[in-house]
Amino acid sequence: MDLIRIKNAEKKYKNGVTAIRNLNLDIEKGSFTFVIGGSGSGKSTLIKMLYREERPTQGKIIVGGLNVAKLRNNKVYKLRRKLGIVFQDYRLLPKLTVYENVAFAMEVIGAKKNETRLKVLKALEEVGLKNKVHNYPDQLSGGEQQRVAIARAIVNNPKLLLCDEPTGNLDPEKSMEIMAVLDKINKVRGTTIIMATHDKEIVNKMKKQVITLKDGRLVSFKKKGTYYDEDVENAK
Amino acid sequence: MKMLRMLNRSIRDSIKSVFRNFSLSLASISCITITLIIVAISMLASFNVQNFTKEIEKDLTIVVFLDSDTSEDRITDLKKEIGNFPNVESYEFESKEDVKQKMQKESEVLNTVLDGWSEEDNPLKPTFKLKVKNVNKIGKTADKIKQIENVSVVKYGEGMVETMISSFATIQKVAYGAVIALVVVTVFLIVNTIKLTIFSRKREISIMRLVGASNFTIKTPFIIEGMILGIFGSIIPIVFTTYGYLAFYNHFNGYLYTHLIKLIRPEPFIYQMSLIILVIGIIVGMIGSSKAVRKYLKV
């Protein structure tokens, strides 16, 4: 079954830049997909369209049964509850503890206290931060902060986890730790993961499916892909 | 249950926000306070004006004296004629005899003097006392009655009453104008206050949206914050109205300058006024904050 279906999608920004051109893509449930490409290739735009931060100017994007292109502003939350999002800059609230940051995602959708507690602790355990629940974000390392962000993204048990360069601010060692966490989530929870990155090593090590974008066009879609240099070279 | 939990959260957040941005909140609260004090004064004035306009209108009568030699038949005709005037609401007729008896009751001296008069040489005039429907047309009605045969003298407030009533109307209009202008200014100030609290919580709001908070959840704390500002802003005006009006009423013993102008009794009046002030405060706060939310939240 496909969790995401993209048909003839095009995104043209108001300043005239076309970020995505005629994109067709189906992504299976439970898969782990890298989206790679150089700067300005449309990786981020693709991710943004998947969580309806941007709307496609043309075509269809269906995520978990919702047509993103036609989703109105006041209904966006319905989509957002089906997915988790992780960014390069973590986006944690500095005045809340680790526990509160993760619980925040449940509180604002009106979850019960007991349920919140259970799920938050479980998520934090999964990312290996159970001993840091009472710390504040600025007391944690970058890698740890990113793991908090991941815990927040998965706490509602979403079907889809979107990651926009989650390792962009981390050194290779910490990056691999994050990847291990994501891989575990993909395997244990069965969460579909889409990750935009330009980290060659990670892609080569993980051996997952790889989508290569270049100037907003789909260049290749490999089932067991690596960040082949020739792909990027050819695309140029 | 879920609704209640969310509401609880919203209230907690909005109270926190009021105190976190205290200087800004204080600016809004004092603006609401000043507005509401002026609104309260205007309302006190205009309710009182309305009240004594009504009182005066109730007391206002046209007194019509007929010639003393008017026959009984003619009086019967006149009763019909005057009763049918479009502006006449009701009339009271006093015959010569009635007038005489009334006067006799008034004093001992008159009693003995009048006692000597027989039915025939009673020089008093039969009298109509009329209540009108529309006080503004009282002059015209009086003029028309004057032209009727056998009517000798027509008396009413003559000019003074009309000027008084029309100047009251002007006072009310000015008061309403001031109130509306102030409310508009206050709404703008609240829009700005809430805008700044929205900016200071931008990160939080963007994360809320990312993790799937509904628009309702995002907006409610800000709207409640506006309401809280309104409630805080109405405290001083309520105290001011209650004690101020009581002091004012007691100082003038319930009448303003003359016994003609009677003030409204404070007992239920000040409570009603306090409630109105509170409601206006809350509504103004709500309008301001929901305007700000719509404009700056883009949800």
Side-chain angles (χ1 to χ4, degrees):
Chain A
M1 244 233 348
D2 294 330
L3 185 64
I4 297 172
R5 281 202 164 152
I6 302 177
K7 270 209 171 128
N8 307 321
E10 187 190 271
K11 175 68 191 177
K12 199 173 181 182
Y13 284 104
K14 275 184 186 145
N15 60 9
V17 175
T18 308
I20 294 285
R21 293 163 209 267
N22 195 25
L23 185 67
N24 287 290
L25 204 59
D26 290 330
I27 291 173
E28 244 174 70
K29 214 176 201 174
S31 60
F32 193 133
T33 314
F34 286 111
V35 181
I36 61 172
S39 300
S41 59
K43 303 190 294 280
S44 285
T45 303
L46 176 60
I47 298 280
K48 277 182 186 164
M49 287 198 293
L50 292 177
Y51 67 89
R52 177 50 180 75
E53 182 71 18
E54 298 290 349
R55 270 182 220 243
T57 32
Q58 261 177 43
K60 248 189 194 173
I61 296 183
I62 292 169
V63 179
L66 286 169
N67 187 353
V68 173
K70 285 186 178 160
L71 200 61
R72 281 171 36 200
N73 267 347
N74 57 0
K75 293 278 181 283
V76 168
Y77 73 93
K78 288 190 172 169
L79 171 70
R80 301 274 169 92
R81 287 183 189 185
K82 293 183 185 218
L83 45 85
I85 313 162
V86 177
F87 298 94
Q88 184 173 2
D89 58 357
Y90 326 133
R91 303 207 184 165
L92 301 174
L93 291 165
K95 283 182 184 167
L96 301 184
T97 63
V98 167
Y99 177 86
E100 288 164 344
N101 260 293
V102 180
F104 185 76
M106 298 206 66
E107 275 172 27
V108 297
I109 62 170
K112 284 184 193 144
K113 258 213 166 118
N114 291 340
E115 191 195 353
T116 305
R117 205 180 149 70
L118 276 171
K119 285 194 171 175
V120 170
L121 291 177
K122 186 170 170 254
L124 284 170
E125 195 177 356
E126 265 182 85
V127 299
L129 281 176
K130 218 184 172 184
N131 54 339
K132 301 228 168 169
V133 286
H134 296 302
N135 288 59
Y136 286 90
D138 59 2
Q139 296 167 328
L140 303 179
S141 71
E144 285 169 332
Q145 288 187 45
Q146 190 60 291
R147 282 189 275 158
V148 177
I150 292 170
R152 185 182 62 195
I154 61 167
V155 72
N156 284 318
N157 206 13
K159 289 182 197 155
L160 174 66
L161 182 60
L162 298 172
C163 309
D164 195 357
E165 310 242 10
T167 58
N169 281 349
L170 305 172
D171 62 40
E173 200 185 318
K174 294 279 184 239
S175 297
M176 284 321 294
E177 279 178 34
I178 295 293
M179 291 319 297
V181 168
L182 290 177
D183 198 32
K184 198 172 105 193
I185 290 165
N186 175 241
K187 282 183 177 139
V188 175
R189 293 197 178 218
T191 311
T192 311
I193 298 182
I194 297 176
M195 173 170 158
T197 185
H198 55 240
D199 191 324
K200 202 195 315 188
E201 240 168 84
I202 286 176
V203 180
N204 288 342
K205 271 189 188 156
M206 298 295 293
K207 306 235 179 337
K208 303 288 181 185
Q209 41 180 24
V210 176
I211 293 168
T212 311
L213 293 177
K214 162 78 180 163
D215 289 335
R217 284 197 179 83
L218 183 67
V219 180
S220 69
F221 187 2
K222 291 184 177 145
K223 286 290 168 191
K224 263 240 161 92
T226 41
Y227 200 117
Y228 289 119
D229 275 334
E230 71 247 39
D231 271 346
V232 181
E233 285 306 314
N234 291 341
K236 271 181 190 169
Chain B
M1 260 323 278
K2 189 176 164 188
M3 256 327 249
L4 225 68
R5 230 175 10 248
M6 304 293 281
L7 206 66
N8 187 19
R9 197 193 137 77
S10 299
I11 293 171
R12 200 184 61 209
D13 276 5
S14 45
I15 292 174
K16 256 193 227 161
S17 178
V18 168
F19 289 102
R20 201 178 290 155
N21 308 299
F22 190 69
S23 58
L24 210 67
S25 303
L26 202 66
S28 289
I29 290 171
S30 27
C31 192
I32 296 174
T33 300
I34 293 165
T35 307
L36 286 181
I37 286 178
I38 296 173
V39 169
I41 293 172
S42 312
M43 281 200 310
L44 285 174
S46 76
F47 278 130
N48 267 298
V49 164
Q50 238 170 39
N51 180 54
F52 50 70
T53 309
K54 225 186 269 161
E55 293 278 320
I56 288 169
E57 283 176 5
K58 219 169 30 187
D59 288 346
L60 206 61
T61 37
I62 300 178
V63 184
V64 180
F65 296 106
L66 304 181
D67 298 329
S68 29
D69 54 358
T70 314
S71 68
E72 286 296 322
D73 289 350
R74 179 64 188 142
I75 288 174
T76 323
D77 285 350
L78 279 170
K79 276 185 187 170
K80 256 187 213 154
E81 196 175 340
I82 289 175
N84 284 337
F85 260 72
N87 199 24
V88 171
E89 195 175 65
S90 61
Y91 68 83
E92 209 180 294
F93 176 73
E94 286 168 0
S95 66
K96 284 200 237 181
E97 201 46 41
D98 294 336
V99 179
K100 182 179 151 193
Q101 275 168 14
K102 241 189 182 175
M103 286 171 91
Q104 280 176 321
K105 269 182 206 154
E106 269 168 35
S107 83
E108 280 298 312
V109 186
L110 276 175
N111 191 9
T112 43
V113 172
L114 294 185
D115 234 8
W117 296 352
S118 67
E119 182 78 27
E120 257 90 89
D121 47 37
N122 182 349
L124 294 169
K125 295 171 193 286
T127 313
F128 279 100
K129 285 184 176 162
L130 307 178
K131 293 272 182 214
V132 291
K133 285 175 191 157
N134 185 350
V135 180
N136 293 326
K137 286 184 190 158
I138 195 167
K140 275 183 197 159
T141 308
D143 285 343
K144 273 187 198 154
I145 292 172
K146 242 180 232 170
Q147 279 150 32
I148 299 171
E149 215 180 315
N150 294 113
V151 169
S152 66
V153 186
V154 177
K155 272 173 115 181
Y156 69 103
E158 244 106 8
M160 177 257 198
V161 172
E162 287 136 300
T163 352
M164 210 157 132
I165 285 167
S166 79
S167 63
F168 286 165
T170 318
I171 292 173
Q172 269 182 318
K173 270 179 207 152
V174 171
Y176 289 149
V179 167
I180 289 167
L182 271 161
V183 166
V184 170
V185 170
T186 311
V187 165
F188 273 115
L189 222 106
I190 293 168
V191 168
N192 270 305
T193 312
I194 303 291
K195 180 179 92 182
L196 282 158
T197 64
I198 288 174
F199 279 147
S200 72
R201 292 179 60 192
K202 230 175 176 168
R203 194 184 174 83
E204 198 180 324
I205 292 166
S206 76
I207 291 170
M208 281 172 101
R209 301 198 66 192
L210 281 179
V211 298
S214 64
N215 284 352
F216 180 78
T217 316
I218 297 175
K219 280 182 196 165
T220 316
F222 295 107
I223 291 172
I224 293 177
E225 189 177 337
M227 286 166 68
I228 291 174
L229 294 177
I231 292 169
F232 280 155
S234 58
I235 292 172
I236 295 173
I238 285 173
V239 172
F240 171 86
T241 317
T242 310
Y243 291 98
Y245 189 71
L246 264 176
F248 184 78
Y249 187 86
N250 291 335
H251 182 258
F252 287 102
N253 284 321
Y255 294 98
L256 200 59
Y257 306 120
T258 96
H259 277 250
L260 203 64
I261 304 178
K262 202 166 141 197
L263 297 170
I264 301 174
R265 291 175 57 77
E267 250 320 305
F269 181 56
I270 46 174
Y271 302 131
Q272 291 158 355
M273 285 293 297
S274 302
L275 193 70
I276 293 173
I277 289 167
L278 183 68
V279 169
I280 292 178
I282 292 174
I283 288 174
V284 166
M286 251 173 79
I287 293 173
S289 57
S290 47
K291 263 189 155 122
V293 164
R294 208 173 306 145
K295 209 166 168 187
Y296 299 101
L297 228 46
K298 285 190 199 124
V299 284

